[in-house]
Amino acid sequence: MDLFVGQQDPPDLSPLDCFLWGFLKEIVYRQPIEHNIDLLKTRIIQAVMQLYWVPTWLLFVIEGRIKDARLFLAILTIFYFFRGCSLLINDIFFNAIPYSVVLIVVILLGIYLVRIPPPDYKQLEHAASEFMVKSVAHRGGGWDAPENSLIAFELSKEKGYDVIEFDVTLTGDGVPIVFHDTTLHRMAGIDLVVQDTTWEELSKVDISVAHRYKENFTGTTIPTLDEAVTQMLACDQKMIIDIKDNDPKMVTVILNLYKKYSLHSKSIVSSFYPNIIYRIRRADPKIVCSLAWKKDEFSYEICEHDGCRGKRRANVWYKHCFLVLCDFIHAWALPRITYYVLGVSLILLHKESLSGL
């Protein structure tokens, strides 16, 4: 107070002013300064900014660039204006509106952002009307010839089928082939897993040994995906390509296939796995896709012989209950959310699921 002795108009100081000065002094001299005037100035500014909760980046701007006190006050006013607005919005958003409504809005916004619109058929090479389907040869017409074989595709063309549906899987060495089952037992009577067997071994397997007309098709072998597509394009047949593997490599296979043969107006890609369809359409939204669905897909296996429900996928009861819940959610979301997010053009139902909807 001795500084103001003798002045005509000493400043009006209150006990709070003295407290503030003492508080700032305590912050400034919390660590020794040792006769460094620049450090003292920095400490004072930092102490003042700490009281007013000004961020560090603004402190640096004030120290280095702002010389005008009015500009400093303007920046400080703008800062606290936006801070007040954010607090007000936060208070209204999380207190006035129920959390359930906020959660629903966030979920709907997320669904909208991740969705893939269906293909614009007007932009395809041919009009969508040219893909009118009158009859489809399932697995190439496996009743009259070994299923998913080149000879079956040829016979289907002769019988007047518009579209050929066939299955695609990967061999142990990554070669895409046209085959349905996970093993060779049903088609060739051999206990080999397709995904554990190389293409060199599979290419020698006769898949006609279990067919009812096996004497007419002796020596029929498994075709590669390229062989099947080449033949169907030569015969001007449309295709439904059913992906059997939940393998990210299949996404690359399909994308390369479409790029090589320009199949956008000639084929449809189908799969039971929504993640595979999503990744394909995310990479190329012009690809027309369908999602296949069967009852109890998660909780039960399907017999390869007659398509009926097989054994449980999980033997432990709580795991089985969880998979049953997944089946319920999947069936509920399919016509409400899944198709919208994937942008699929149709849904294919398993033959054993038609009476179970």
Side-chain angles (χ1 to χ4, degrees), residues 29-63:
Y29 291 100
R30 186 168 295 169
Q31 295 180 355
I33 295 180
E34 298 180 355
H35 307 290
N36 189 332
I37 190 64
D38 293 329
L39 180 59
L40 177 61
K41 292 180 180 179
T42 302
R43 291 277 186 85
I44 293 174
I45 295 176
Q46 289 177 344
V48 174
M49 296 303 106
Q50 183 176 344
L51 290 177
Y52 286 94
W53 197 77
V54 176
T56 306
W57 63 267
L58 185 57
L59 175 62
F60 292 152
V61 173
I62 293 172
E63 288 180 338

PDB file of all heavy atoms in Angstrom, residues 29-63:
ATOM      1  N   TYR A  29       5.210 -17.289  -7.849  1.00  0.00           N
ATOM      2  CA  TYR A  29       6.449 -17.627  -7.142  1.00  0.00           C
ATOM      3  C   TYR A  29       6.424 -19.042  -6.547  1.00  0.00           C
ATOM      4  O   TYR A  29       7.157 -19.326  -5.605  1.00  0.00           O
ATOM      5  CB  TYR A  29       6.705 -16.604  -6.033  1.00  0.00           C
ATOM      6  CG  TYR A  29       7.067 -15.233  -6.564  1.00  0.00           C
ATOM      7  CD1 TYR A  29       6.110 -14.225  -6.625  1.00  0.00           C
ATOM      8  CD2 TYR A  29       8.352 -14.968  -7.018  1.00  0.00           C
ATOM      9  CE1 TYR A  29       6.430 -12.964  -7.117  1.00  0.00           C
ATOM     10  CE2 TYR A  29       8.690 -13.714  -7.512  1.00  0.00           C
ATOM     11  CZ  TYR A  29       7.723 -12.718  -7.566  1.00  0.00           C
ATOM     12  OH  TYR A  29       8.049 -11.477  -8.055  1.00  0.00           O
ATOM     13  N   ARG A  30       5.559 -19.887  -7.110  1.00  0.00           N
ATOM     14  CA  ARG A  30       5.509 -21.262  -6.604  1.00  0.00           C
ATOM     15  C   ARG A  30       6.848 -21.959  -6.826  1.00  0.00           C
ATOM     16  O   ARG A  30       7.271 -22.809  -6.052  1.00  0.00           O
ATOM     17  CB  ARG A  30       4.377 -22.017  -7.298  1.00  0.00           C
ATOM     18  CG  ARG A  30       4.128 -23.410  -6.751  1.00  0.00           C
ATOM     19  CD  ARG A  30       2.815 -23.947  -7.284  1.00  0.00           C
ATOM     20  NE  ARG A  30       1.689 -23.158  -6.782  1.00  0.00           N
ATOM     21  CZ  ARG A  30       0.440 -23.268  -7.248  1.00  0.00           C
ATOM     22  NH1 ARG A  30       0.180 -24.096  -8.238  1.00  0.00           N
ATOM     23  NH2 ARG A  30      -0.526 -22.526  -6.734  1.00  0.00           N
ATOM     24  N   GLN A  31       7.506 -21.606  -7.923  1.00  0.00           N
ATOM     25  CA  GLN A  31       8.860 -22.080  -8.190  1.00  0.00           C
ATOM     26  C   GLN A  31       9.780 -20.871  -8.332  1.00  0.00           C
ATOM     27  O   GLN A  31       9.359 -19.833  -8.851  1.00  0.00           O
ATOM     28  CB  GLN A  31       8.887 -22.932  -9.466  1.00  0.00           C
ATOM     29  CG  GLN A  31       8.090 -24.226  -9.358  1.00  0.00           C
ATOM     30  CD  GLN A  31       8.146 -25.024 -10.641  1.00  0.00           C
ATOM     31  OE1 GLN A  31       8.703 -24.571 -11.630  1.00  0.00           O
ATOM     32  NE2 GLN A  31       7.572 -26.215 -10.611  1.00  0.00           N
ATOM     33  N   PRO A  32      11.031 -20.981  -7.910  1.00  0.00           N
ATOM     34  CA  PRO A  32      11.952 -19.824  -7.949  1.00  0.00           C
ATOM     35  C   PRO A  32      12.130 -19.289  -9.367  1.00  0.00           C
ATOM     36  O   PRO A  32      12.134 -20.041 -10.342  1.00  0.00           O
ATOM     37  CB  PRO A  32      13.264 -20.407  -7.403  1.00  0.00           C
ATOM     38  CG  PRO A  32      12.858 -21.613  -6.623  1.00  0.00           C
ATOM     39  CD  PRO A  32      11.652 -22.168  -7.302  1.00  0.00           C
ATOM     40  N   ILE A  33      12.307 -17.967  -9.472  1.00  0.00           N
ATOM     41  CA  ILE A  33      12.483 -17.312 -10.765  1.00  0.00           C
ATOM     42  C   ILE A  33      13.934 -16.887 -10.979  1.00  0.00           C
ATOM     43  O   ILE A  33      14.451 -16.934 -12.088  1.00  0.00           O
ATOM     44  CB  ILE A  33      11.550 -16.090 -10.875  1.00  0.00           C
ATOM     45  CG1 ILE A  33      10.087 -16.562 -10.869  1.00  0.00           C
ATOM     46  CG2 ILE A  33      11.840 -15.294 -12.141  1.00  0.00           C
ATOM     47  CD1 ILE A  33       9.084 -15.444 -10.976  1.00  0.00           C
ATOM     48  N   GLU A  34      14.622 -16.445  -9.926  1.00  0.00           N
ATOM     49  CA  GLU A  34      16.045 -16.115  -9.977  1.00  0.00           C
ATOM     50  C   GLU A  34      16.336 -14.965 -10.947  1.00  0.00           C
ATOM     51  O   GLU A  34      17.097 -15.102 -11.908  1.00  0.00           O
ATOM     52  CB  GLU A  34      16.876 -17.347 -10.351  1.00  0.00           C
ATOM     53  CG  GLU A  34      16.759 -18.475  -9.330  1.00  0.00           C
ATOM     54  CD  GLU A  34      17.593 -19.678  -9.722  1.00  0.00           C
ATOM     55  OE1 GLU A  34      18.182 -19.645 -10.836  1.00  0.00           O
ATOM     56  OE2 GLU A  34      17.645 -20.637  -8.938  1.00  0.00           O
ATOM     57  N   HIS A  35      15.713 -13.818 -10.722  1.00  0.00           N
ATOM     58  CA  HIS A  35      16.021 -12.562 -11.417  1.00  0.00           C
ATOM     59  C   HIS A  35      15.887 -12.671 -12.943  1.00  0.00           C
ATOM     60  O   HIS A  35      16.669 -12.084 -13.690  1.00  0.00           O
ATOM     61  CB  HIS A  35      17.438 -12.093 -11.063  1.00  0.00           C
ATOM     62  CG  HIS A  35      17.679 -12.010  -9.588  1.00  0.00           C
ATOM     63  ND1 HIS A  35      17.082 -11.055  -8.788  1.00  0.00           N
ATOM     64  CD2 HIS A  35      18.438 -12.784  -8.767  1.00  0.00           C
ATOM     65  CE1 HIS A  35      17.473 -11.232  -7.530  1.00  0.00           C
ATOM     66  NE2 HIS A  35      18.291 -12.277  -7.485  1.00  0.00           N
ATOM     67  N   ASN A  36      14.917 -13.409 -13.409  1.00  0.00           N
ATOM     68  CA  ASN A  36      14.670 -13.540 -14.855  1.00  0.00           C
ATOM     69  C   ASN A  36      13.379 -12.798 -15.173  1.00  0.00           C
ATOM     70  O   ASN A  36      12.281 -13.273 -14.881  1.00  0.00           O
ATOM     71  CB  ASN A  36      14.555 -15.017 -15.248  1.00  0.00           C
ATOM     72  CG  ASN A  36      14.528 -15.209 -16.760  1.00  0.00           C
ATOM     73  OD1 ASN A  36      14.088 -14.331 -17.502  1.00  0.00           O
ATOM     74  ND2 ASN A  36      15.009 -16.366 -17.207  1.00  0.00           N
ATOM     75  N   ILE A  37      13.516 -11.594 -15.755  1.00  0.00           N
ATOM     76  CA  ILE A  37      12.351 -10.743 -15.970  1.00  0.00           C
ATOM     77  C   ILE A  37      11.387 -11.338 -17.002  1.00  0.00           C
ATOM     78  O   ILE A  37      10.166 -11.224 -16.885  1.00  0.00           O
ATOM     79  CB  ILE A  37      12.800  -9.316 -16.402  1.00  0.00           C
ATOM     80  CG1 ILE A  37      11.597  -8.361 -16.388  1.00  0.00           C
ATOM     81  CG2 ILE A  37      13.471  -9.371 -17.764  1.00  0.00           C
ATOM     82  CD1 ILE A  37      11.017  -8.151 -15.026  1.00  0.00           C
ATOM     83  N   ASP A  38      11.936 -11.997 -18.041  1.00  0.00           N
ATOM     84  CA  ASP A  38      11.068 -12.614 -19.054  1.00  0.00           C
ATOM     85  C   ASP A  38      10.260 -13.762 -18.462  1.00  0.00           C
ATOM     86  O   ASP A  38       9.065 -13.924 -18.758  1.00  0.00           O
ATOM     87  CB  ASP A  38      11.913 -13.118 -20.228  1.00  0.00           C
ATOM     88  CG  ASP A  38      12.558 -11.974 -20.992  1.00  0.00           C
ATOM     89  OD1 ASP A  38      11.950 -10.882 -21.028  1.00  0.00           O
ATOM     90  OD2 ASP A  38      13.653 -12.180 -21.559  1.00  0.00           O
ATOM     91  N   LEU A  39      10.905 -14.551 -17.629  1.00  0.00           N
ATOM     92  CA  LEU A  39      10.197 -15.648 -16.978  1.00  0.00           C
ATOM     93  C   LEU A  39       9.126 -15.122 -16.036  1.00  0.00           C
ATOM     94  O   LEU A  39       8.040 -15.691 -15.916  1.00  0.00           O
ATOM     95  CB  LEU A  39      11.194 -16.532 -16.226  1.00  0.00           C
ATOM     96  CG  LEU A  39      10.598 -17.741 -15.485  1.00  0.00           C
ATOM     97  CD1 LEU A  39       9.866 -18.657 -16.451  1.00  0.00           C
ATOM     98  CD2 LEU A  39      11.697 -18.501 -14.736  1.00  0.00           C
ATOM     99  N   LEU A  40       9.420 -13.992 -15.376  1.00  0.00           N
ATOM    100  CA  LEU A  40       8.441 -13.386 -14.480  1.00  0.00           C
ATOM    101  C   LEU A  40       7.196 -12.948 -15.249  1.00  0.00           C
ATOM    102  O   LEU A  40       6.059 -13.180 -14.817  1.00  0.00           O
ATOM    103  CB  LEU A  40       9.069 -12.195 -13.756  1.00  0.00           C
ATOM    104  CG  LEU A  40       8.134 -11.406 -12.827  1.00  0.00           C
ATOM    105  CD1 LEU A  40       7.598 -12.295 -11.717  1.00  0.00           C
ATOM    106  CD2 LEU A  40       8.856 -10.183 -12.253  1.00  0.00           C
ATOM    107  N   LYS A  41       7.401 -12.299 -16.413  1.00  0.00           N
ATOM    108  CA  LYS A  41       6.258 -11.874 -17.229  1.00  0.00           C
ATOM    109  C   LYS A  41       5.425 -13.083 -17.667  1.00  0.00           C
ATOM    110  O   LYS A  41       4.193 -13.056 -17.627  1.00  0.00           O
ATOM    111  CB  LYS A  41       6.757 -11.107 -18.450  1.00  0.00           C
ATOM    112  CG  LYS A  41       7.376  -9.760 -18.136  1.00  0.00           C
ATOM    113  CD  LYS A  41       7.845  -9.080 -19.420  1.00  0.00           C
ATOM    114  CE  LYS A  41       8.469  -7.719 -19.129  1.00  0.00           C
ATOM    115  NZ  LYS A  41       8.946  -7.067 -20.381  1.00  0.00           N
ATOM    116  N   THR A  42       6.126 -14.130 -18.087  1.00  0.00           N
ATOM    117  CA  THR A  42       5.413 -15.334 -18.534  1.00  0.00           C
ATOM    118  C   THR A  42       4.609 -15.951 -17.400  1.00  0.00           C
ATOM    119  O   THR A  42       3.455 -16.356 -17.577  1.00  0.00           O
ATOM    120  CB  THR A  42       6.414 -16.357 -19.089  1.00  0.00           C
ATOM    121  OG1 THR A  42       7.144 -15.769 -20.164  1.00  0.00           O
ATOM    122  CG2 THR A  42       5.693 -17.599 -19.594  1.00  0.00           C
ATOM    123  N   ARG A  43       5.212 -15.993 -16.199  1.00  0.00           N
ATOM    124  CA  ARG A  43       4.510 -16.557 -15.049  1.00  0.00           C
ATOM    125  C   ARG A  43       3.254 -15.749 -14.710  1.00  0.00           C
ATOM    126  O   ARG A  43       2.212 -16.307 -14.363  1.00  0.00           O
ATOM    127  CB  ARG A  43       5.450 -16.575 -13.840  1.00  0.00           C
ATOM    128  CG  ARG A  43       6.592 -17.571 -13.948  1.00  0.00           C
ATOM    129  CD  ARG A  43       6.142 -18.965 -13.531  1.00  0.00           C
ATOM    130  NE  ARG A  43       7.266 -19.876 -13.500  1.00  0.00           N
ATOM    131  CZ  ARG A  43       8.083 -20.028 -12.452  1.00  0.00           C
ATOM    132  NH1 ARG A  43       7.885 -19.306 -11.357  1.00  0.00           N
ATOM    133  NH2 ARG A  43       9.082 -20.880 -12.506  1.00  0.00           N
ATOM    134  N   ILE A  44       3.359 -14.431 -14.793  1.00  0.00           N
ATOM    135  CA  ILE A  44       2.205 -13.581 -14.475  1.00  0.00           C
ATOM    136  C   ILE A  44       1.069 -13.826 -15.474  1.00  0.00           C
ATOM    137  O   ILE A  44      -0.100 -13.968 -15.102  1.00  0.00           O
ATOM    138  CB  ILE A  44       2.621 -12.094 -14.458  1.00  0.00           C
ATOM    139  CG1 ILE A  44       3.586 -11.832 -13.296  1.00  0.00           C
ATOM    140  CG2 ILE A  44       1.391 -11.196 -14.346  1.00  0.00           C
ATOM    141  CD1 ILE A  44       4.162 -10.432 -13.280  1.00  0.00           C
ATOM    142  N   ILE A  45       1.427 -13.865 -16.774  1.00  0.00           N
ATOM    143  CA  ILE A  45       0.402 -14.099 -17.798  1.00  0.00           C
ATOM    144  C   ILE A  45      -0.243 -15.466 -17.611  1.00  0.00           C
ATOM    145  O   ILE A  45      -1.467 -15.619 -17.682  1.00  0.00           O
ATOM    146  CB  ILE A  45       1.019 -13.976 -19.202  1.00  0.00           C
ATOM    147  CG1 ILE A  45       1.491 -12.533 -19.446  1.00  0.00           C
ATOM    148  CG2 ILE A  45       0.020 -14.401 -20.272  1.00  0.00           C
ATOM    149  CD1 ILE A  45       2.203 -12.344 -20.761  1.00  0.00           C
ATOM    150  N   GLN A  46       0.573 -16.473 -17.340  1.00  0.00           N
ATOM    151  CA  GLN A  46       0.041 -17.814 -17.141  1.00  0.00           C
ATOM    152  C   GLN A  46      -0.882 -17.875 -15.927  1.00  0.00           C
ATOM    153  O   GLN A  46      -1.910 -18.552 -15.946  1.00  0.00           O
ATOM    154  CB  GLN A  46       1.184 -18.812 -16.979  1.00  0.00           C
ATOM    155  CG  GLN A  46       1.952 -19.074 -18.266  1.00  0.00           C
ATOM    156  CD  GLN A  46       3.127 -20.004 -18.050  1.00  0.00           C
ATOM    157  OE1 GLN A  46       3.560 -20.226 -16.910  1.00  0.00           O
ATOM    158  NE2 GLN A  46       3.656 -20.542 -19.140  1.00  0.00           N
ATOM    159  N   ALA A  47      -0.524 -17.166 -14.868  1.00  0.00           N
ATOM    160  CA  ALA A  47      -1.355 -17.168 -13.670  1.00  0.00           C
ATOM    161  C   ALA A  47      -2.702 -16.517 -13.938  1.00  0.00           C
ATOM    162  O   ALA A  47      -3.752 -17.008 -13.505  1.00  0.00           O
ATOM    163  CB  ALA A  47      -0.626 -16.445 -12.535  1.00  0.00           C
ATOM    164  N   VAL A  48      -2.685 -15.400 -14.679  1.00  0.00           N
ATOM    165  CA  VAL A  48      -3.942 -14.721 -15.008  1.00  0.00           C
ATOM    166  C   VAL A  48      -4.808 -15.601 -15.907  1.00  0.00           C
ATOM    167  O   VAL A  48      -6.017 -15.735 -15.706  1.00  0.00           O
ATOM    168  CB  VAL A  48      -3.651 -13.361 -15.675  1.00  0.00           C
ATOM    169  CG1 VAL A  48      -4.948 -12.722 -16.160  1.00  0.00           C
ATOM    170  CG2 VAL A  48      -2.937 -12.432 -14.700  1.00  0.00           C
ATOM    171  N   MET A  49      -4.170 -16.204 -16.898  1.00  0.00           N
ATOM    172  CA  MET A  49      -4.926 -17.069 -17.797  1.00  0.00           C
ATOM    173  C   MET A  49      -5.500 -18.280 -17.066  1.00  0.00           C
ATOM    174  O   MET A  49      -6.578 -18.763 -17.380  1.00  0.00           O
ATOM    175  CB  MET A  49      -4.032 -17.543 -18.946  1.00  0.00           C
ATOM    176  CG  MET A  49      -3.524 -16.441 -19.862  1.00  0.00           C
ATOM    177  SD  MET A  49      -4.834 -15.457 -20.610  1.00  0.00           S
ATOM    178  CE  MET A  49      -4.674 -13.949 -19.650  1.00  0.00           C
ATOM    179  N   GLN A  50      -4.764 -18.774 -16.081  1.00  0.00           N
ATOM    180  CA  GLN A  50      -5.247 -19.917 -15.312  1.00  0.00           C
ATOM    181  C   GLN A  50      -6.510 -19.560 -14.539  1.00  0.00           C
ATOM    182  O   GLN A  50      -7.427 -20.370 -14.405  1.00  0.00           O
ATOM    183  CB  GLN A  50      -4.153 -20.394 -14.356  1.00  0.00           C
ATOM    184  CG  GLN A  50      -4.529 -21.627 -13.544  1.00  0.00           C
ATOM    185  CD  GLN A  50      -3.377 -22.103 -12.680  1.00  0.00           C
ATOM    186  OE1 GLN A  50      -2.230 -21.722 -12.892  1.00  0.00           O
ATOM    187  NE2 GLN A  50      -3.681 -22.930 -11.700  1.00  0.00           N
ATOM    188  N   LEU A  51      -6.571 -18.336 -14.048  1.00  0.00           N
ATOM    189  CA  LEU A  51      -7.760 -17.906 -13.318  1.00  0.00           C
ATOM    190  C   LEU A  51      -8.978 -17.836 -14.234  1.00  0.00           C
ATOM    191  O   LEU A  51     -10.096 -18.151 -13.836  1.00  0.00           O
ATOM    192  CB  LEU A  51      -7.519 -16.538 -12.674  1.00  0.00           C
ATOM    193  CG  LEU A  51      -6.537 -16.507 -11.497  1.00  0.00           C
ATOM    194  CD1 LEU A  51      -6.358 -15.071 -11.022  1.00  0.00           C
ATOM    195  CD2 LEU A  51      -7.035 -17.380 -10.359  1.00  0.00           C
ATOM    196  N   TYR A  52      -8.764 -17.418 -15.472  1.00  0.00           N
ATOM    197  CA  TYR A  52      -9.875 -17.237 -16.405  1.00  0.00           C
ATOM    198  C   TYR A  52     -10.085 -18.439 -17.328  1.00  0.00           C
ATOM    199  O   TYR A  52     -10.882 -18.380 -18.249  1.00  0.00           O
ATOM    200  CB  TYR A  52      -9.651 -15.976 -17.256  1.00  0.00           C
ATOM    201  CG  TYR A  52      -9.876 -14.708 -16.486  1.00  0.00           C
ATOM    202  CD1 TYR A  52      -8.809 -14.060 -15.875  1.00  0.00           C
ATOM    203  CD2 TYR A  52     -11.151 -14.175 -16.350  1.00  0.00           C
ATOM    204  CE1 TYR A  52      -9.009 -12.896 -15.154  1.00  0.00           C
ATOM    205  CE2 TYR A  52     -11.361 -13.011 -15.632  1.00  0.00           C
ATOM    206  CZ  TYR A  52     -10.285 -12.375 -15.039  1.00  0.00           C
ATOM    207  OH  TYR A  52     -10.483 -11.221 -14.330  1.00  0.00           O
ATOM    208  N   TRP A  53      -9.325 -19.499 -17.101  1.00  0.00           N
ATOM    209  CA  TRP A  53      -9.471 -20.742 -17.862  1.00  0.00           C
ATOM    210  C   TRP A  53      -9.374 -20.489 -19.366  1.00  0.00           C
ATOM    211  O   TRP A  53     -10.258 -20.774 -20.147  1.00  0.00           O
ATOM    212  CB  TRP A  53     -10.803 -21.422 -17.552  1.00  0.00           C
ATOM    213  CG  TRP A  53     -10.810 -22.860 -17.977  1.00  0.00           C
ATOM    214  CD1 TRP A  53     -10.224 -23.904 -17.349  1.00  0.00           C
ATOM    215  CD2 TRP A  53     -11.437 -23.414 -19.142  1.00  0.00           C
ATOM    216  NE1 TRP A  53     -10.431 -25.067 -18.030  1.00  0.00           N
ATOM    217  CE2 TRP A  53     -11.184 -24.796 -19.143  1.00  0.00           C
ATOM    218  CE3 TRP A  53     -12.181 -22.876 -20.185  1.00  0.00           C
ATOM    219  CZ2 TRP A  53     -11.647 -25.647 -20.129  1.00  0.00           C
ATOM    220  CZ3 TRP A  53     -12.646 -23.720 -21.173  1.00  0.00           C
ATOM    221  CH2 TRP A  53     -12.376 -25.093 -21.138  1.00  0.00           C
ATOM    222  N   VAL A  54      -8.264 -19.887 -19.769  1.00  0.00           N
ATOM    223  CA  VAL A  54      -7.993 -19.652 -21.180  1.00  0.00           C
ATOM    224  C   VAL A  54      -7.051 -20.749 -21.663  1.00  0.00           C
ATOM    225  O   VAL A  54      -6.056 -21.043 -21.001  1.00  0.00           O
ATOM    226  CB  VAL A  54      -7.348 -18.265 -21.394  1.00  0.00           C
ATOM    227  CG1 VAL A  54      -6.986 -18.054 -22.850  1.00  0.00           C
ATOM    228  CG2 VAL A  54      -8.306 -17.185 -20.920  1.00  0.00           C
ATOM    229  N   PRO A  55      -7.320 -21.389 -22.784  1.00  0.00           N
ATOM    230  CA  PRO A  55      -6.484 -22.489 -23.248  1.00  0.00           C
ATOM    231  C   PRO A  55      -5.076 -22.044 -23.607  1.00  0.00           C
ATOM    232  O   PRO A  55      -4.813 -20.869 -23.870  1.00  0.00           O
ATOM    233  CB  PRO A  55      -7.231 -23.007 -24.483  1.00  0.00           C
ATOM    234  CG  PRO A  55      -8.080 -21.866 -24.923  1.00  0.00           C
ATOM    235  CD  PRO A  55      -8.448 -21.125 -23.684  1.00  0.00           C
ATOM    236  N   THR A  56      -4.170 -23.000 -23.646  1.00  0.00           N
ATOM    237  CA  THR A  56      -2.757 -22.705 -23.878  1.00  0.00           C
ATOM    238  C   THR A  56      -2.520 -22.077 -25.239  1.00  0.00           C
ATOM    239  O   THR A  56      -1.688 -21.177 -25.377  1.00  0.00           O
ATOM    240  CB  THR A  56      -1.945 -24.006 -23.762  1.00  0.00           C
ATOM    241  OG1 THR A  56      -2.225 -24.608 -22.500  1.00  0.00           O
ATOM    242  CG2 THR A  56      -0.454 -23.729 -23.863  1.00  0.00           C
ATOM    243  N   TRP A  57      -3.255 -22.556 -26.270  1.00  0.00           N
ATOM    244  CA  TRP A  57      -3.025 -22.002 -27.608  1.00  0.00           C
ATOM    245  C   TRP A  57      -3.336 -20.514 -27.653  1.00  0.00           C
ATOM    246  O   TRP A  57      -2.671 -19.738 -28.331  1.00  0.00           O
ATOM    247  CB  TRP A  57      -3.859 -22.744 -28.648  1.00  0.00           C
ATOM    248  CG  TRP A  57      -5.348 -22.622 -28.468  1.00  0.00           C
ATOM    249  CD1 TRP A  57      -6.158 -23.463 -27.801  1.00  0.00           C
ATOM    250  CD2 TRP A  57      -6.191 -21.571 -28.970  1.00  0.00           C
ATOM    251  NE1 TRP A  57      -7.450 -23.032 -27.834  1.00  0.00           N
ATOM    252  CE2 TRP A  57      -7.511 -21.871 -28.560  1.00  0.00           C
ATOM    253  CE3 TRP A  57      -5.972 -20.425 -29.715  1.00  0.00           C
ATOM    254  CZ2 TRP A  57      -8.593 -21.069 -28.868  1.00  0.00           C
ATOM    255  CZ3 TRP A  57      -7.048 -19.613 -30.037  1.00  0.00           C
ATOM    256  CH2 TRP A  57      -8.342 -19.942 -29.612  1.00  0.00           C
ATOM    257  N   LEU A  58      -4.362 -20.070 -26.888  1.00  0.00           N
ATOM    258  CA  LEU A  58      -4.691 -18.656 -26.848  1.00  0.00           C
ATOM    259  C   LEU A  58      -3.622 -17.877 -26.086  1.00  0.00           C
ATOM    260  O   LEU A  58      -3.304 -16.733 -26.425  1.00  0.00           O
ATOM    261  CB  LEU A  58      -6.064 -18.465 -26.192  1.00  0.00           C
ATOM    262  CG  LEU A  58      -6.614 -17.030 -26.168  1.00  0.00           C
ATOM    263  CD1 LEU A  58      -6.687 -16.471 -27.578  1.00  0.00           C
ATOM    264  CD2 LEU A  58      -7.978 -16.999 -25.502  1.00  0.00           C
ATOM    265  N   LEU A  59      -3.046 -18.521 -25.082  1.00  0.00           N
ATOM    266  CA  LEU A  59      -1.967 -17.884 -24.332  1.00  0.00           C
ATOM    267  C   LEU A  59      -0.775 -17.591 -25.233  1.00  0.00           C
ATOM    268  O   LEU A  59      -0.187 -16.507 -25.187  1.00  0.00           O
ATOM    269  CB  LEU A  59      -1.553 -18.796 -23.173  1.00  0.00           C
ATOM    270  CG  LEU A  59      -0.343 -18.346 -22.348  1.00  0.00           C
ATOM    271  CD1 LEU A  59      -0.637 -17.021 -21.671  1.00  0.00           C
ATOM    272  CD2 LEU A  59       0.020 -19.404 -21.322  1.00  0.00           C
ATOM    273  N   PHE A  60      -0.432 -18.546 -26.089  1.00  0.00           N
ATOM    274  CA  PHE A  60       0.686 -18.340 -27.005  1.00  0.00           C
ATOM    275  C   PHE A  60       0.394 -17.210 -27.986  1.00  0.00           C
ATOM    276  O   PHE A  60       1.270 -16.417 -28.324  1.00  0.00           O
ATOM    277  CB  PHE A  60       0.977 -19.628 -27.773  1.00  0.00           C
ATOM    278  CG  PHE A  60       1.525 -20.717 -26.898  1.00  0.00           C
ATOM    279  CD1 PHE A  60       1.322 -22.050 -27.221  1.00  0.00           C
ATOM    280  CD2 PHE A  60       2.233 -20.412 -25.747  1.00  0.00           C
ATOM    281  CE1 PHE A  60       1.822 -23.055 -26.418  1.00  0.00           C
ATOM    282  CE2 PHE A  60       2.739 -21.413 -24.933  1.00  0.00           C
ATOM    283  CZ  PHE A  60       2.533 -22.732 -25.260  1.00  0.00           C
ATOM    284  N   VAL A  61      -0.855 -17.139 -28.449  1.00  0.00           N
ATOM    285  CA  VAL A  61      -1.222 -16.062 -29.366  1.00  0.00           C
ATOM    286  C   VAL A  61      -1.095 -14.712 -28.679  1.00  0.00           C
ATOM    287  O   VAL A  61      -0.590 -13.730 -29.234  1.00  0.00           O
ATOM    288  CB  VAL A  61      -2.654 -16.277 -29.892  1.00  0.00           C
ATOM    289  CG1 VAL A  61      -3.112 -15.069 -30.704  1.00  0.00           C
ATOM    290  CG2 VAL A  61      -2.708 -17.528 -30.743  1.00  0.00           C
ATOM    291  N   ILE A  62      -1.536 -14.657 -27.421  1.00  0.00           N
ATOM    292  CA  ILE A  62      -1.476 -13.402 -26.673  1.00  0.00           C
ATOM    293  C   ILE A  62      -0.027 -12.976 -26.465  1.00  0.00           C
ATOM    294  O   ILE A  62       0.340 -11.813 -26.627  1.00  0.00           O
ATOM    295  CB  ILE A  62      -2.192 -13.556 -25.321  1.00  0.00           C
ATOM    296  CG1 ILE A  62      -3.691 -13.765 -25.561  1.00  0.00           C
ATOM    297  CG2 ILE A  62      -1.967 -12.338 -24.440  1.00  0.00           C
ATOM    298  CD1 ILE A  62      -4.453 -14.119 -24.313  1.00  0.00           C
ATOM    299  N   GLU A  63       0.826 -13.914 -26.127  1.00  0.00           N
ATOM    300  CA  GLU A  63       2.221 -13.582 -25.856  1.00  0.00           C
ATOM    301  C   GLU A  63       2.944 -13.112 -27.105  1.00  0.00           C
ATOM    302  O   GLU A  63       3.764 -12.195 -27.066  1.00  0.00           O
ATOM    303  CB  GLU A  63       2.941 -14.810 -25.293  1.00  0.00           C
ATOM    304  CG  GLU A  63       2.526 -15.152 -23.876  1.00  0.00           C
ATOM    305  CD  GLU A  63       3.266 -16.375 -23.374  1.00  0.00           C
ATOM    306  OE1 GLU A  63       3.735 -17.161 -24.215  1.00  0.00           O
ATOM    307  OE2 GLU A  63       3.376 -16.537 -22.160  1.00  0.00           O
TER     308      GLU A  63
END
